[in-house]
Structures are given as C-alpha cells and as structure tokens.
Amino acid sequence: FGQLMLALGDSKVQLLIENTGDRSQDFLTRLRGLLHAEGYPISDDRIFVPALEFWSTFVETLVDCMCSDDHQAQPWVSAASSHVVEVVSGIWRKVIFPPAQDFAEWDSSDRIAFGDARKDVADLLQSSFTIIGSRLVSSFADLVLSSLASGHWLELEAAAYCLGALADCVAGDTCDESLHTVFSSPLFHTLQQTDSRLPPRTRQTCILLLERYAEFFERETASLPAALTLLFSVLPDAALAGLAAKSIQRLCSSSQQSLASESGAFLDQYSMLSTRQQIDCLASERVLGAIASVVYAIPDDQERLRYLDTLLSFVRQDVSDSLRATSSLGIEHSHRCLVEHDVSNVAEHLALKSLRCLVSIGKGFKAPVEAPIDIETERLQALAYAGHRELLLETQSGIITMIQRLQQSFPDNGEVVETICTIFRTGFSESEAGPFVFPPDIVANFLLQQGPPTPRLGLFVSAACSFISSLGKSPGGGLDLIRSNLFSWVTRLLQQLPEPDSDTELAQSAIEFVTRLTTKCPAVFLDPGLSGSAEFFYLFALRVLDGREPLPKAAAADFWRAAETATAQLGPLLARSLIKNIGGGGARSELDKLSEPLKKMISQHSKSRSWLGDALRDEHCVGYQVTQQDREAFLKKVI
C-alpha cells in the first residue's frame, strides 16, 4: 500500500505542494510517516528508500517553485516548507548504523545499499538547506552535543554525518556560532580517548568534520590548536591515520599564515611520530606536505629555508635507507609500513615514499591559488631569497642529488620516473624563486641526460613541454640555447624509434612539445643548426598523421594546425596526408581534428587549391570508387 501511496504522490507532486487543503496536508503527513517505519533501512525497512526518493523530488520541486518570482509570496510555501522541516528533523535516525556485530551479519549487497541510502539522506539535507537555512545546521549541532553528553555513540555518528553533509551548503560565517558550540565542546577530548567505548566509525565520522569545516577554523583560529592536537594524536591509529592526515593537510594549507609561528612544534611532533614508527607512508606524505605549507608562510627567507632543511632531513633519511637496502647493508631505521605490511621490495618502497614526500613538500611550497597577483613578476623574482641565494641553491642542489641517486638506483622503474617528473612540475607554475623552482639550466641538463633505456621517456618529454611553457616567451641567449638543445634532444629520441607507433606516449609527448615550442618561441626553428632536426620532425609528424594511433595522431593534427612555416615547406605532402585520412584512412571520430589543419592550410596558403587538387587525383589517397566529379565537388566545397 505504501508503494501505491508513493506512486500517487509522485504523479501529483506539484499539486500537493500548492494545495493547502486538509486532504492534501493529511496525505503528505502520511507520506512522511513512511520514512519512520520500524527497523533499519534496506535490511528491515524496504519502504524507506522509495519514500526518500519521493521527498527528494518534493524538496527539489519546492525549491524550484520558491525560486520563481511568481511563487515566492504564495501562502502554500509555508505549509510545504513545514513538511520539509518535519521530514529532516527525524530522518537522521534512519542513518544510524546498527551495532557492529549485527551489521557484519548483513549481506554485502545490503551493506552497500545502506551506505547508498545514507548518501541519499545527505543529498536530501543539502537540498533542504535552501528552504530551512542555518537552522538546519543548528539543529544537527544540538544533536551532536546531546548525543555526546548522553554517550549514545551510534547516534553521535549519525548526527555528525548529517552535520558534515551540510558543510558545502554553509557560506561564510552564518553558522559559526553553532559550529563553535560543537568544536569547543568535550568532543575533541572524547575522540582522543584510546579506550574501546567509542566505535571506530564514530571517531572517523567526527574527525571528518574537521576537514569538512576547514573554512570555519580558518576564521576561528583560536580553535585550530585543539583540532590539530586531536588530529596528530590519532595518527598512530591505522584506521584513522588517512583521514587525520588529510584533515591536517587541509587545515594547514587553509590556515598557513596563522600557523607559521608553530612550524617548530609541527616538526617536533612529526619527528616523534616518525621515531616511534607511529605514522605510515601515505600519512607521512600528507603531513609533510601540510608542514611544508606552514613553513612556506614564514616571512623570513633564511628561517624558512632552515625549517625546510629540517623537513627534508626526514626525506634524506628515507633515501639513505632505500640506498642501503639496495646494497644489502640493511636499513638504519625501522618503518611502520615495513612492520605492518609484507613489502616485497623494501628499497623500492622507500624510494617511492621519498619521492612522493618530495612531491608533497613541493606542493606545500607553492604559492596559494587565491593569493593576489603582482604584475611586477620580474621584481618579485629578483627580491625573493635575494639575500640567501647561496643557501637556496644549496637546498635545490640537495633535492636534485636525492632525485638523481634514486633514479640511478632504480633505472627501470617507470613509477620513479613519473614521480620525478611531478617533482619538477611543482615549480613550473611559480612566479617567484623557491626551493622547487629550479634554475632553467639545471632542469634542462637533467632532462638532456635522459634517454634509452630509461622507461617512459614520454613523461620526461611531457615535463619538458611544461618546462617550455614556464619559460614563456622570454628572450635571451641562455634560454634560446636551452630551447634549441631540448628540441634536438626530443628529435634524437624520436630518431631512435623503429616506427612512430613503437612508443605512442613518447610520440605524442614529443609532438606536443614541438607544438608548444612553435607557439611560444617560433624563432628557435630559424637556427640553421637545427634545420636537419626540424626536417626530420616534420616528416615524422606526417608519418604519425598517416598512422593509426589516435592520441599521437590528434597531437600531429594540432601541430600542423599551428605550424605555418612547416606547412609552407611541405604543403603537398600534408595535403596528401589529410586527403588520405578524410578519404577513408582516418576514423570518423578523427575528422574534427583533421579538419583543423585543412582549414588553416586553405585560409593561409594560396597554393592550397593546387596541393589538394593533386592529392585528390592521386589514387593512393582517394579510392578508385570515388568519381572525378565527386573529387572536384569536394574541392569546390572546401576552397
């Protein structure tokens, strides 16, 4: 019968919203009652999810009506809104988890469906926030406090889950008073208790609240120390370490200015956790990145570099242990991940951990995205670390040395290559000097050393593409030489390929690199010493355009769209390749890409008609089944 009621309700949603009569109101009250059937959703209560879907539709329709100018002042808005308030005020009880032993006995599909039902409840709460407003946050904050006071831990988890679901709806400081009552309550003290009375799931959900409401802590900095103390205290708990580390990273990055003076305390805390083997690899990466973002906010350059060196010392120790493991000397320090997990290759594991920690630290040292942009970039670059250039270069040299030693020790590991490229990329987008903003000649020299049999060379070429972009269009003999050397290096790598399809990643990255170089600094190709390399590359790009691999082929099409000089030199060959693809050699999905260089050729080159006409008459480009009349018609349409 409940399904019949819901079917009727679904067909009359708009009418039920706008009708304030007793029959409609009574029917809506009965539909609300379907949300409160006995038992847990899915396992016992089968009507809950369909009823939830109806009320989600009801709320969304009501929101649409309220947003309309014609309906804002209608008398039925108040009545319909009151039903929504009643729905959300009691629905939170349906997301309470059953006791752990009972939940473990559920069928796996029921457990998954219960989790999905909780997500649907969260979606309904978010939709309802538009109608109810900050009162919704206040009500769930009160539920958190009452559940905490009574020691009903499963209810506390449900209330915290619902409160966390509303985080994305809260704008500004409108709900700070309610949030302050939660975060200044004994909640943090309770979560730090190590006894077993608090279920792990409840602790996880409550700790997740800290990350969800990171913006609150950014405004209420007085609450930050207690929050971070809690998060660091639960890092040794394997079940909570991931969540805690993620929350630490979010809070530190959003409040780095107010935390900068506590950099030393952060480093001491991490050192203690590391020494006691109380932090795993993933948590280490995140926490080191979090501390790096705090250290970045230190105003004094020398002090900032000093703290960074302490931060890097943890990475140097991991690098040392990795290298010792490769030489069978044995590692000097034990690591939690090696104790708790069966790691088949200890040296490789520690090497990757070291490199990922460098990535995390490098990202922590990036300027905030929301920071004001100073158009006097060159002046900023000149002033940053102006009095401590030697110390900065020493720090950069230490980072490069760690990278080189690990690559030399693991020359066949593609994951090592990928992570190294990510480290370099962290500095490419920065406008100021910094520890991970390596001098162009250092980056170029490192890239130029790469070649077969290094795995995944395409990643290094892709990094070179980003590097070229970071140089911008700045002239100068040194930068021009770097661009020329990198172009020669890329073509040498391509010349060693048996066929363009032998390494599609390298082929695609190389073509994208030259396309970027063509766009950013076309003067490079005027160097007479590069004429041989340029000629080889142009022919290589044509071969790729004739190939079957979709990604390199798309990159080649982009290159020929941008390369006007090359098109002027090799117009007939390019026309043949394009006509061959359009005439059936290319896939239908590739035609949009292939049409771009064709349009550019026609608009920029007066000889394009002749080139295309010759290609259309070539039986190797167009099948014999295409008549001469059709070929001429095609030429007339495109010219």
Side-chain angles (χ1 to χ4, degrees), residues 219-239:
R219 294 187 298 271
E220 296 286 331
T221 54
S223 303
L224 262 177
L228 289 169
T229 299
L230 164 65
L231 293 171
F232 272 98
S233 71
V234 300
L235 280 174
D237 188 332

Side-chain angles (χ1 to χ4, degrees), residues 342-361:
D342 180 19
V343 179
S344 57
N345 191 331
V346 173
E348 184 177 282
H349 177 84
L350 292 175
L352 289 171
K353 175 193 174 184
S354 304
L355 291 171
R356 288 170 183 154
C357 286
L358 285 177
V359 170
S360 191
I361 294 171

Side-chain angles (χ1 to χ4, degrees), residues 454-509:
T454 301
R456 304 198 66 184
L457 281 169
L459 291 175
F460 281 120
V461 177
S462 179
C465 186
S466 301
F467 175 55
I468 287 294
S469 295
S470 72
L471 297 179
K473 300 182 180 180
S474 304
L479 295 182
D480 287 342
L481 180 61
I482 286 173
R483 295 183 181 104
S484 300
N485 288 340
L486 288 175
F487 176 65
S488 299
W489 166 67
V490 168
T491 54
R492 285 197 302 272
L493 294 178
L494 295 179
Q495 287 169 347
Q496 296 177 54
L497 292 178
E499 294 293 335
D501 294 348
S502 301
D503 188 339
T504 56
E505 184 179 45
L506 175 58
Q508 178 187 351
S509 298

Side-chain angles (χ1 to χ4, degrees), residues 359-502:
V359 170
S360 191
I361 294 171
K363 290 179 178 178
F365 259 74
K366 290 172 69 71
V369 176
E370 66 275 9
I373 299 175
D374 192 328
I375 60 174
E376 300 180 16
T377 303
E378 293 184 3
R379 182 180 64 82
L380 282 174
Q381 291 176 332
L383 292 177
Y385 297 94
H388 306 91
R389 288 289 179 174
E390 291 186 6
L391 186 57
L392 176 63
L393 290 174
E394 183 180 337
T395 301
Q396 292 176 331
S397 176
I399 296 171
I400 291 292
T401 299
M402 285 191 282
I403 292 172
Q404 289 175 330
R405 293 179 69 188
L406 290 175
Q407 189 189 15
Q408 290 167 3
S409 299
F410 303 94
D412 301 323
N413 191 304
E415 201 169 352
V416 167
V417 169
E418 183 176 7
T419 314
I420 288 173
C421 291
T422 306
I423 294 171
F424 280 106
R425 287 179 188 273
T426 58
F428 289 163
S429 60
E430 298 299 283
S431 59
E432 298 183 24
F436 288 84
V437 185
F438 302 105
D441 58 323
I442 290 180
V443 178
N445 289 337
F446 183 87
L447 292 172
L448 293 173
Q449 294 171 9
Q450 310 306 320
T454 301
R456 304 198 66 184
L457 281 169
L459 291 175
F460 281 120
V461 177
S462 179
C465 186
S466 301
F467 175 55
I468 287 294
S469 295
S470 72
L471 297 179
K473 300 182 180 180
S474 304
L479 295 182
D480 287 342
L481 180 61
I482 286 173
R483 295 183 181 104
S484 300
N485 288 340
L486 288 175
F487 176 65
S488 299
W489 166 67
V490 168
T491 54
R492 285 197 302 272
L493 294 178
L494 295 179
Q495 287 169 347
Q496 296 177 54
L497 292 178
E499 294 293 335
D501 294 348
S502 301

Side-chain angles (χ1 to χ4, degrees), residues 176 179-185 188 210 213-214 216-231 251 255 258-259:
D176 279 6
L179 295 174
H180 182 74
T181 61
V182 172
F183 295 127
S184 61
S185 71
F188 289 174
L210 303 182
Y213 286 101
F216 165 79
F217 292 101
E218 188 176 355
R219 294 187 298 271
E220 296 286 331
T221 54
S223 303
L224 262 177
L228 289 169
T229 299
L230 164 65
L231 293 171
L251 290 175
S255 306
S258 56
L259 293 172

